[in-house]
Amino acid sequence: EVLSRTSEVDIEGGWKIGAPVPYAALTKTFSLIEATTKRLEKTSLLTSFFLLVIRRSAKGDTHSLLQAVYLCIKKLSPDYVGVELGIGESLLVKAISESTGRSLAVVKADLKKEGDLGLNSKASQKTLFRPKSLTVPLVFTSLKEIALSSGHSSQTKKVSIITKLLAACQGGEAKYIIRSLEGKLRIGNAERTVLVALAHAAAFAENEESGKKLNKDKLTSRLEEAASIVKSVFSELPSYDLVIPALLTDGISNLRSTCKLTPGVPLKPMLAKPTKAIGEVLDRFENKRFTCEYKYDGERAQVHKLDDGVVGIFSRNSEDMSRKYPDLVEQLSHCVKQETKSFVLDAEAVAIDKTTEKLMPFQELSKRKRKDVKVEDIQVRVCLFAFDLLYLNGESLLQKPLVERRDLLRQHFQVVPGEFGFAKSSDGETTEEIQAFLEESVKDGCEGLMVKMLESDESHYEPSRRSVNWLKLKKDYLAGVGDSLDLVVVGGYYGKGKRTNVYGAFLLACFDADSEEHQTICKIGTGFSEEMLQMHWDTLRALEMDKPRGDIKVGGAKPDVWFEPKIVWEVLAADLSLSPIYTAAQGLVEERGISLRFPRFIRVRDDKSADDATGPEQIAEMYERQALAHRKGKHDKGGD
Ligand code: ATP
């Protein structure tokens, strides 16, 4: 299918070997991907396009594929470099108005009607000379220039670059230029699809070069193997800048040895599965050695020390937080023993009381400025609790069992009270021991426990995976649905009575990364103090829209105002139910969507963006688990 589709994504004339990739070929591929809902078809279209890029790139050119991949994932650099695409709506409206000759009011009205700035954005052909056709490198560098320009005259500069781009657009190109600038392609193309397509295209290209003819079974297994290698390598070294050149130059089979965990490049952290009861933990770890650790209520911090002594601190989403935590960078030198040259630590940064050194809740930590913090101005003190060591003195430890990684951690670092500690742990085995440790953790100001496999292959560190070898057991879970959810605020309801000057309730949504769609899930009005409602009013008012944005799947929800989907809240609920109104996870468990019953606001998650919100698969999984627990409960009662 891939080979036959290459002619579909190809454009007529104009794409010679060694020439820059025509932007028209990329947007043609986008249109075809947008037109289908089938995941496999999306993957094969993208594979065909990448394969054409590889075939037509000059020898040794790895840049063309790299830039094409970046444009497909709406990024311009690895996450930790932080060059972000996405400019404000008002600036875009201005640029569109200037290049299309339509008034600001008309562009805005169109946006409200369509919920999509990309439509109707073709520039009017005012110029005498037709500008040259757009190419992928030109679009990529222009977008980068826009993202990097800051200061005084940057607005004018950005508008002028956008206007130039739009003037050169042909056919459907303008739509995708605008959408790229918004940071939303809306073609239903998740990053994992891009990774698979990249692996498949490289496998096809290698095969073509070797001149061998593989039968269907062999080819299928080659493709599967390539995808699994590329995905696992990328979770260890999430940098296309490094992975793509290695993939094209050294080949798929060498990728695991050429691209490895490297200090300075944050890897995607391992995540935990929620559990609702201690019994569930024991079921999972029966006859295995496991450890329970305090689940600290702070912010995840991946700490890297490079050979040259530079220290980097990265967030759960691989953002560079070194400028947020200059105190941690300083403190780190006290807890590292002499012989430790380079390392990668997995840890939690937790606010502590300055005098008593007691743990403080996450809310305290969130009072800190996010950037350019000066050590002398710091009010909220932070202690780092390390729970894993992933790299040490030039060697990756990911494949070692946790018990060994933990020993190495304790050998090479030392406790400095109030600055650095090891996550408190207990290798208990019975329900009573776990219960006692859980209560102790909560008394000490933690959220509960993380229960981890300690020995064997199952205790390896699994980058980017939400693994059953790490279970989280939060005190709150025991009575509720299990895990909390991180949801995007997409609508507001005006308050009544005492709350007339603020929003009294909100419409929340989950985020489906495959369709790039926010799916409504519940109305929430509980868990807010008056002070908080005022704060939410102040933040959300600026995001008000009269109509739902095009990527919100509304269903039957009818809030008084809509918000641009941007703010993420952590929410707990009593349980989940099927709903004729809301659209979350529609079609996954049943035709109907899933909704939260008795949702309660916990906190703002400003470390997560709208794209990191809980996904429909997780919600469907929670619903299924709840249904199963229900059936089991009934069955157990029957047995009595
Ligand atoms: P998730 O990361 O699972 O999507 P989340 O960011 O809301 O969700 P939680 O579900 O609360 O996080 O649990 C995982 C987080 O707990 C880790 O990302 C880490 O920040 C924190 N944490 C605190 N203590 C530990 C520990 N001992 N081991 C691992 N993680 C810990």
Side-chain angles (χ1 to χ4, degrees), residues 587-636:
L588 290 185
V589 173
E590 255 201 31
E591 275 306 295
R592 281 179 291 172
I594 295 176
S595 152
L596 301 186
R597 295 209 323 140
F598 309 115
R600 187 154 50 87
F601 171 81
I602 306 292
R603 66 185 184 196
V604 178
R605 287 292 306 246
D606 44 19
D607 59 329
K608 288 199 171 180
S609 67
D611 293 5
D612 300 317
T614 305
E617 304 80 21
Q618 268 170 280
I619 289 160
E621 201 182 314
M622 285 166 101
Y623 180 84
E624 304 272 16
R625 278 155 48 93
Q626 173 186 293
L628 190 74
H630 215 73
R631 284 201 292 276
K632 198 163 172 269
K634 274 196 186 149
H635 179 263
D636 289 350

Side-chain angles (χ1 to χ4, degrees), residues 59-76:
K59 212 162 172 53
D61 166 23
T62 56
H63 238 69
S64 297
L65 185 61
L66 182 63
Q67 292 180 335
V69 167
Y70 272 132
L71 291 182
C72 290
I73 54 165
K74 306 154 287 184
K75 288 185 186 165
L76 300 168

Side-chain angles (χ1 to χ4, degrees), residues 271-272 293-296 299-300 316 348 387 423 447 450 452 466 470 472 474 477 483 486 605 608:
L271 300 171
E293 291 172 357
Y294 271 18
K295 185 177 188 309
Y296 293 91
E299 180 174 22
R300 190 140 186 186
R316 178 188 184 282
E348 187 86 348
F387 50 79
E447 281 187 299
M450 296 288 288
K452 300 176 179 178
R466 192 174 293 285
W470 272 24
K472 45 186 171 181
K474 292 194 206 169
Y477 293 179
D483 203 3
D486 298 315
R605 287 292 306 246
K608 288 199 171 180

